[in-house]
């Protein structure tokens, strides 16, 4: 029984409920320019065993949301509103109510996160084994031989030369190897949910391939529930069951991967899909989204996408739409989603699914 177990409250009939539910989550940074509204009312259910990809341009709030879920935000950031509910085995807890010790347990045993910036954050003077063993020990696992066997198995699972890597120093490993070690490390205490922030962004294309294959095995073989944060639609296309598009701190569309790629209903999603270079098409086909992401300190009125949106009307400049159902298990936040539907019907997106090795470099 871990410390975090104390925070669980027994609840009737929640076995079928999603492991993670965000309800109206708002996160703000304090900055010299003023309050940065990085996450503005996110509602999201992460369903058991699914992999959900959160996509959007740089600066849309994806990392902030991931850090908010595991409560690892910097001191200048604050969850100002909303709830993060975590469930396991018919029990549920409010992540916002956990104390420091419970949070540490939560991050390793329940919901672990592989950070975007972690590739260079290994302790340079510790061998991989020592870093892993220290963590296992801190969580009450003291049988050195059993831990070593477990770590070797994890390193094998991520397809590393386990015997060599376990006693290596971080600088002896390539970026791709370190990323695989990080994924192995995140699995050390067998979490139910894994959050991955841009797991392939810093890697070359061939190494990206091996990480994508590894993540697919995690999904298929381990049935891990995963939230992928990415600005790379190629990963989303390959791995996601569902995709959520984030713009200016809000989820503006969510649906199955097929809905998002072939039947987008939000102009921003449509722009993202059309901005993906196609292997078959010519480069002239590449249409990028005009304009730049909004200033989160001084947001536009109404729909935050209106200054860049080809479908915008007067109503869009005045009122911000909420997510509404636009299909079965498909929602979008746009006053004019039917116009987007017509546009897609006129110009189908059947060739737009990104090829496996093509990477959208929207940053
Ligand atoms: N420490 C910070 N202080 C102030 N603003 C920040 C900080 N970190 C991120 N932001 C701002 O929050 C917004 C969302 O950032 P982030 O969550 O990193 O987006 P993404 O991961 O989608 O690129 C951006 O406008 C960014 O500038
Ligand atoms: S609400 Fe209006 S501005 Fe916003 S995405 Fe839809 S059409 Fe564009
Ligand atoms: Mg980010």
């Amino acid at each position: 029984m871990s410390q975090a177990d104390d925070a669980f409250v027994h609840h009737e009939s929640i076995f079928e409920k999603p492991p993670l539910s965000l309800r109206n989550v708002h996160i703000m940074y304090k900055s010299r320019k003023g309050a940065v509204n990085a996450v503005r009312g996110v509602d999201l259910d992460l369903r058991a065993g699914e992999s959900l990809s959160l996509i959007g341009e740089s600066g849309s709030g994806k990392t902030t949301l991931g850090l908010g879920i595991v409560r690892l935000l910097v001191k200048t950031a604050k969850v100002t509103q909303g709830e993060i509910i975590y469930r396991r085995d018919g029990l549920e807890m409010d992540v916002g109510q956990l104390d420091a010790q419970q949070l540490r347990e939560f991050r390793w045993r329940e919901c672990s996160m592989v950070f975007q910036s972690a590739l260079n954050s290994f302790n340079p003077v510790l061998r991989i084994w020592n870093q892993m063993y220290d963590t296992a020990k801190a969580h009450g696992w003291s049988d050195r031989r059993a831990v070593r066997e477990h770590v070797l198995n994890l390193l094998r699972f991520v397809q590393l030369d386990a015997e060599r890597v376990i006693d290596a120093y971080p600088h002896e490993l390539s970026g791709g190897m370190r990323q695989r070690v990080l994924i192995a490390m995140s699995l050390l205490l067998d979490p139910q949910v894994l959050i991955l922030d841009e797991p392939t962004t810093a890697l070359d294309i061939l190494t990206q391939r091996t990480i994508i294959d590894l993540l697919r095995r995690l999904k298929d073989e381990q049935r891990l529930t995963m939230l992928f944060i990415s600005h790379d639609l190629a990963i989303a296309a390959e791995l996601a069951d569902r995709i959520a598009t984030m713009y200016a701190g809000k989820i503006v569309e969510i649906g199955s991967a097929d809905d998002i790629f072939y039947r987008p209903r939000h102009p921003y999603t449509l722009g993202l899909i059309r901005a993906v270079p196609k292997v078959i098409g010519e480069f002239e086909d590449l249409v990028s989204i005009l304009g730049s992401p909004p200033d989160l300190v001084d947001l536009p009125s109404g729909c935050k996408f209106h200054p860049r949106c080809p479908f915008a009307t007067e109503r869009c400049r005045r009122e911000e739409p909420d997510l509404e159902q636009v299909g079965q298990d498909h929602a979008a936040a746009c006053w004019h989603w039917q116009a987007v539907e017509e546009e897609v019907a006129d110009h189908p997106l059947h060739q737009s699914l990104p090829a496996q090795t093509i990477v959208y470099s929207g940053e």
Side-chain angles (χ1 to χ4, degrees):
M1 172 126 167
S2 72
Q3 295 278 325
D5 286 346
D6 300 340
F8 277 117
V9 177
H10 188 70
H11 216 284
E12 291 294 314
S13 67
I14 60 175
F15 282 95
E16 293 306 310
K17 288 197 175 173
L20 196 64
S21 295
L22 310 189
R23 293 286 168 260
N24 192 28
V25 173
H26 290 251
I27 304 175
M28 223 161 72
Y29 290 97
K30 269 193 230 153
S31 82
R32 264 183 296 158
K33 280 172 60 196
V36 182
N37 300 289
V39 174
R40 303 181 308 113
V42 166
D43 285 296
L44 183 68
D45 284 327
L46 190 61
R47 300 171 184 163
E50 81 167 337
S51 66
L52 176 81
S53 182
L54 195 57
I55 61 170
E57 289 164 302
S58 182
S60 51
K62 307 180 300 294
T63 296
T64 305
L65 186 63
L67 292 171
I69 294 172
V70 293
R71 299 266 313 275
L72 275 172
L73 292 161
V74 291
K75 286 220 167 61
T76 50
K78 208 174 163 210
V79 179
T80 53
Q81 255 192 77
E83 280 186 318
I84 298 160
I85 304 297
Y86 175 80
R87 306 184 184 86
R88 172 166 55 76
D89 304 332
L91 302 170
E92 78 175 30
M93 62 160 84
D94 178 349
V95 180
Q97 302 299 318
L98 304 184
D99 65 28
Q101 174 62 24
Q102 289 171 329
L103 267 176
R104 268 193 296 276
E105 295 275 342
F106 173 74
R107 287 182 204 126
W108 286 96
R109 292 178 188 275
E110 312 292 349
C111 179
S112 68
M113 179 160 173
V114 176
F115 299 101
Q116 187 173 6
S117 53
L119 270 186
N120 301 313
S121 68
F122 282 99
N123 185 335
V125 299
L126 285 185
R127 294 176 197 272
I128 299 304
W129 161 245
N130 295 100
Q131 312 211 11
M132 298 269 227
Y133 184 55
D134 286 353
T135 305
K137 232 176 16 185
H139 291 272
W141 198 359
S142 54
D143 181 345
R144 210 180 150 89
R145 276 180 60 181
V147 177
R148 193 164 170 101
E149 201 42 51
H150 182 57
V151 170
L152 284 168
N153 280 334
L154 286 172
L155 292 174
R156 279 181 209 118
F157 180 80
V158 299
Q159 286 179 320
L160 287 167
D161 176 356
E163 313 287 342
R164 185 173 86 73
V165 168
I166 195 168
D167 290 318
Y169 288 101
H171 74 262
E172 296 174 314
L173 306 175
S174 68
M177 290 164 96
R178 286 204 299 268
Q179 184 64 291
R180 278 181 277 174
V181 170
L182 282 173
I183 293 171
M185 217 177 242
S186 71
L187 302 175
L188 188 65
L189 298 177
D190 197 19
Q192 175 183 217
V193 175
L194 183 59
I195 301 177
L196 298 135
D197 193 4
E198 309 275 6
T200 62
T201 299
L203 307 172
D204 63 78
I205 283 186
L206 281 178
T207 314
Q208 289 187 5
R209 183 77 258 143
T210 63
I211 301 293
I212 292 172
D213 290 343
L214 163 63
L215 296 178
R216 178 173 294 149
R217 282 173 54 228
L218 272 178
K219 170 174 142 63
D220 295 344
E221 294 170 23
Q222 313 279 317
R223 301 267 311 131
L224 218 73
T225 300
M226 286 195 269
L227 177 65
F228 287 98
I229 295 171
S230 186
H231 69 275
D232 178 354
L233 286 166
I235 301 193
E238 285 206 57
L239 289 166
D241 301 310
R242 285 196 304 152
I243 297 177
T245 313
M246 203 159 169
Y247 190 78
K250 247 183 171 0
I251 288 175
V252 294
E253 182 159 9
I254 183 164
S256 69
D258 272 4
D259 278 342
I260 297 296
F261 280 114
Y262 300 114
R263 294 173 290 280
R265 295 295 178 254
H266 194 285
Y268 178 61
T269 313
L270 180 63
L272 282 181
I273 304 290
R274 286 196 169 152
V276 175
K278 298 163 212 159
V279 217
I280 316 159
E282 298 295 318
F283 271 104
E284 294 88 82
D285 286 355
L286 199 148
V287 186
S288 53
I289 303 170
L290 292 174
S292 42
D295 178 355
L296 299 180
V297 175
D298 186 16
L299 284 161
S301 60
C303 173
K304 306 310 170 223
F305 190 54
H306 86 248
R308 302 170 74 186
C309 182
F311 297 84
T313 61
E314 192 44 43
R315 184 183 192 187
C316 306
R317 286 179 265 279
R318 273 197 328 265
E319 290 174 72
E320 183 165 27
D322 284 328
L323 280 174
E324 67 170 293
Q325 203 171 341
V326 296
Q328 199 194 359
D329 206 20
H330 184 185
C334 174
W335 297 125
H336 303 303
W337 63 266
Q338 285 98 340
V340 181
E341 181 173 18
E342 282 166 26
E343 161 76 19
V344 173
D346 291 345
H347 304 97
L349 288 157
H350 55 275
Q351 282 196 342
S352 295
L353 198 64
Q356 297 185 347
T357 50
I358 297 290
V359 178
Y360 166 55
S361 52
E363 290 209 324

